[in-house]
Amino acid sequence: MARPERLSGWLILTALVWFAAGGILGLFLPALQAFLPQGGAARLYAIALTGHGVAFVFGGLFQLMVGLSLLQARSCMEETGSSPPRLLPRWLYGLLNGGLILLTLANLQGFAPSYTLMYPLPTVGPARGMWGRGPLILALVGIALVLLAVLYLYPAALARTMWGRLYPSRRQWERMRRDPGMLGMAAYVGMMPILGLPVFLLAAVVFAVVLGLLRPEQLPSWCRIPLGPLLPQIRPEVDPWPFNVAFWLFAHNLMEAMGIMALAAVYALVPLYTRAPTPRLYSPGMGVLAVGLYTLSAIPAFGHHLYTMISTSPPGFTALAQAASWLTGFAAAFTAFNIGATLWRDGLRLHPAPLFVLGGFLLYLIDGFVALQLATRAWNLRLHGTLYVTAHTMTILIAVGMIWLGMLYHHHPGLRGWPLEARRGFLHAGLTFLGALGMFYTLLRAGAAGIPRRAYPWPGDGPGFGVAMLLFGVLFALAQVLFVVHLLRPPQPATIAPRPSPSGEPSPSLQQRPA
């Protein structure tokens, strides 16, 4: 295995370990709801919820996307004639996992502000005696390292791998006008370093004040918002609006950028598994339009997270957010038509890779209707604080994860020298899809019943919903256990393929049709 592929292999392997940790904590949450409905484990529930978010989203899903997207981007290196970067991905791997380990240590010491880690929740703990100053500092350092990796090191590594430098040449710009897969990766490179800058700077200010490097009295009022609970002597009259704008500008668009990356993977992989002699999309131009429309409309769509701030949200801003949110739905519809027309025209060769990618994309579309519902102001005010929102968040993450699992099936021969067995892959994809769909509809039904999110215990019929969530969660987990067994199983002699040359040649890329 060549060095760049070895590093991608480590990223993927580490992501699977974090996935396992996040999955165990995820099963623990409905188990508490089902078997301890009378309460008594609220602190444990909060710790497990925070740990699940850290491990599953950033340790598992994001890291899996990093490892596979760097492999995917190598198909563009042929134009530059340069070799893939080695130092940037190593720093990315080290800082991302170092930050996650620090967050995990803080979590084990009681740091449990909830799934989103949103300020001022981290600073509330020391003021209320829920966790100490030590876990808070550990968590802040961990958050800073993760943000540095997500916002700057990963875009830089992706750009260097894809273009040979931090920006594309004129020839590469011309290619992106015809290649929605490459354009989707470029969207992350262009979006996140800019959109994440406000929250990154604010996190740096909070950390400096906690360490005593800055005096909070000298800061602008909007910077003092997360400091009030930590420093009770500061009682500024502040407006929470600016901070919430900075946070959701980052958090929402990070999820959207990961979704755009997943759509780019769909565009790149599905044509390779058609029956046509030459892989090609039905309409590359429509694909570029969909990715561009999705990217531009996703940026102002973050305002739908602020609908409940009725007294401070300008009406024009909320109207723009609602319109932009619906435009992202049109972009997804264009993608669905394009992929569907490609399969209708050329057919599909059965393989776990496209099955996973198409299953994840179908789940993405199903969840998209809920996303549009929550992006509509009247529905949002009714459902915002319920498990309806949790259903949307969980399902979009699982859908993106399924798409990248499909990419893993595609790249496995280049990473390890042999393909995974198709029948086991079909079983893995089917059980994963059924488990995800069951959890999705269970949470939707619970949210429609008014059960609040991030709450323990769930009121009313909460224990029944907890049992259903646990059953579907176990089904989902069983699929992943079978997958790990499949990965660990030695290859059969008939399935062993020649290993790639160790001379640094790319692994089977998305430019090549799999055998």
Side-chain angles (χ1 to χ4, degrees), residues 45 49 58 77 101 123 176 196 221 230 263 265 269 275 285 367 370 382 387 410 418 427 430 462 464:
Y45 187 86
L49 180 62
F58 291 99
M77 293 297 296
I101 289 171
T123 57
M176 282 191 290
S221 62
L230 184 65
L263 289 186
L269 185 136
R275 298 183 183 276
D367 177 67
V370 174
R382 165 66 177 83
L387 289 175
H410 175 80
W418 64 86
L427 180 62

Side-chain angles (χ1 to χ4, degrees), residues 185-451:
M185 292 189 289
Y188 190 104
V189 174
M191 285 174 60
M192 293 315 302
I194 298 172
L195 299 180
L197 184 60
V199 77
F200 184 79
L201 294 177
L202 184 57
V205 168
V206 172
F207 185 57
V209 171
V210 169
L211 294 181
L213 302 177
L214 286 178
R215 295 181 58 188
E217 296 84 354
Q218 300 174 343
L219 298 175
S221 62
W222 63 271
C223 283
R224 304 182 201 175
I225 298 166
L227 306 178
L230 184 65
L231 307 170
Q233 71 273 20
I234 302 175
R235 302 292 183 186
E237 295 295 330
V238 295
D239 180 3
W241 171 258
F243 173 76
N244 277 272
V245 169
F247 178 84
W248 287 114
L249 183 66
F250 154 72
H252 167 83
N253 281 293
L254 175 61
M255 294 297 103
E256 294 287 21
M258 293 172 69
I260 293 169
M261 289 282 291
L263 289 186
V266 174
Y267 277 120
L269 185 136
V270 169
L272 300 180
Y273 288 89
T274 62
R275 298 183 183 276
T278 303
R280 57 192 177 92
L281 276 171
Y282 177 79
S283 175
M286 181 182 291
V288 169
L289 172 64
V291 172
L293 178 62
Y294 199 132
T295 302
L296 294 177
S297 58
I299 295 173
F302 80 93
H304 63 232
H305 291 279
L306 306 175
Y307 287 163
T308 52
M309 301 179 69
I310 300 173
S311 60
T312 54
S313 297
F317 178 77
T318 56
L320 174 63
Q322 180 169 315
S325 301
W326 277 81
L327 281 177
T328 62
F330 281 99
F334 293 155
T335 301
F337 174 82
N338 206 354
I339 296 299
T342 301
L343 297 177
W344 178 268
R345 182 191 63 191
D346 298 333
L348 179 69
R349 295 184 298 118
L350 287 181
H351 188 277
L355 190 63
F356 252 109
V357 167
L358 292 173
F361 183 54
L362 178 59
L363 197 64
Y364 180 89
L365 293 175
I366 294 171
D367 177 67
F369 290 101
V370 174
L372 294 180
Q373 189 179 16
L374 291 171
T376 304
R377 283 173 288 179
W379 279 107
N380 185 282
L381 293 173
R382 165 66 177 83
L383 298 168
H384 178 79
T386 72
L387 289 175
Y388 214 86
V389 178
T390 304
H392 164 57
T393 304
M394 180 203 71
T395 306
I396 195 66
L397 293 172
I398 291 178
V400 170
M402 287 185 66
I403 291 172
W404 288 110
L405 282 174
M407 295 294 291
L408 178 55
Y409 273 93
H410 175 80
H411 280 291
H412 189 269
L415 288 168
R416 301 184 68 191
W418 64 86
L420 292 169
E421 187 180 336
R423 287 181 299 177
R424 291 173 180 261
F426 295 149
L427 180 62
H428 179 205
L431 293 180
T432 299
F433 183 82
L434 290 177
L437 201 62
M439 290 189 289
F440 174 59
Y441 281 114
T442 300
L443 288 173
L444 284 184
R445 179 67 185 86
I451 294 181

Side-chain angles (χ1 to χ4, degrees), residues 20 29 42 93 96 138 152 160 287 297 301 406 449:
L29 298 174
Y93 179 83
L96 176 61
L138 272 181
Y152 299 105
R160 286 287 308 278
S297 58

Side-chain angles (χ1 to χ4, degrees), residues 52-254:
H52 170 64
V54 169
F56 186 84
V57 178
F58 291 99
L61 177 57
F62 181 79
Q63 193 157 199
L64 181 66
M65 181 186 77
V66 169
L68 289 165
S69 62
L70 290 178
L71 277 180
Q72 178 181 346
R74 291 194 64 199
S75 64
C76 305
M77 293 297 296
E78 300 169 358
E79 295 185 4
T80 66
S82 58
S83 59
R86 295 184 178 180
L87 187 59
L88 268 175
R90 291 176 182 177
W91 276 99
L92 169 61
Y93 179 83
L95 291 184
L96 176 61
N97 287 285
L100 291 169
I101 289 171
L102 291 179
L103 277 168
T104 301
L105 292 175
N107 184 232
L108 292 175
Q109 296 179 50
F111 179 78
S114 85
Y115 198 88
T116 61
L117 298 179
M118 181 178 177
Y119 292 115
L121 294 177
T123 57
V124 169
R128 300 291 181 89
M130 301 175 71
W131 53 81
R133 184 183 178 86
L136 174 63
I137 293 177
L138 272 181
L140 290 177
V141 175
I143 291 170
L145 294 180
V146 171
L147 286 177
L148 182 61
V150 169
L151 297 176
Y152 299 105
L153 291 182
Y154 173 55
L158 188 60
R160 286 287 308 278
T161 303
M162 186 164 47
W163 301 318
R165 53 185 181 177
L166 294 179
Y167 54 91
S169 65
R170 178 175 298 180
R171 181 180 176 185
Q172 290 163 339
W173 272 114
E174 289 298 320
R175 176 179 170 181
M176 282 191 290
R177 292 174 57 185
R178 305 183 303 273
D179 185 349
M182 187 177 178
L183 182 62
M185 292 189 289
Y188 190 104
V189 174
M191 285 174 60
M192 293 315 302
I194 298 172
L195 299 180
L197 184 60
V199 77
F200 184 79
L201 294 177
L202 184 57
V205 168
V206 172
F207 185 57
V209 171
V210 169
L211 294 181
L213 302 177
L214 286 178
R215 295 181 58 188
E217 296 84 354
Q218 300 174 343
L219 298 175
S221 62
W222 63 271
C223 283
R224 304 182 201 175
I225 298 166
L227 306 178
L230 184 65
L231 307 170
Q233 71 273 20
I234 302 175
R235 302 292 183 186
E237 295 295 330
V238 295
D239 180 3
W241 171 258
F243 173 76
N244 277 272
V245 169
F247 178 84
W248 287 114
L249 183 66
F250 154 72
H252 167 83
N253 281 293
L254 175 61

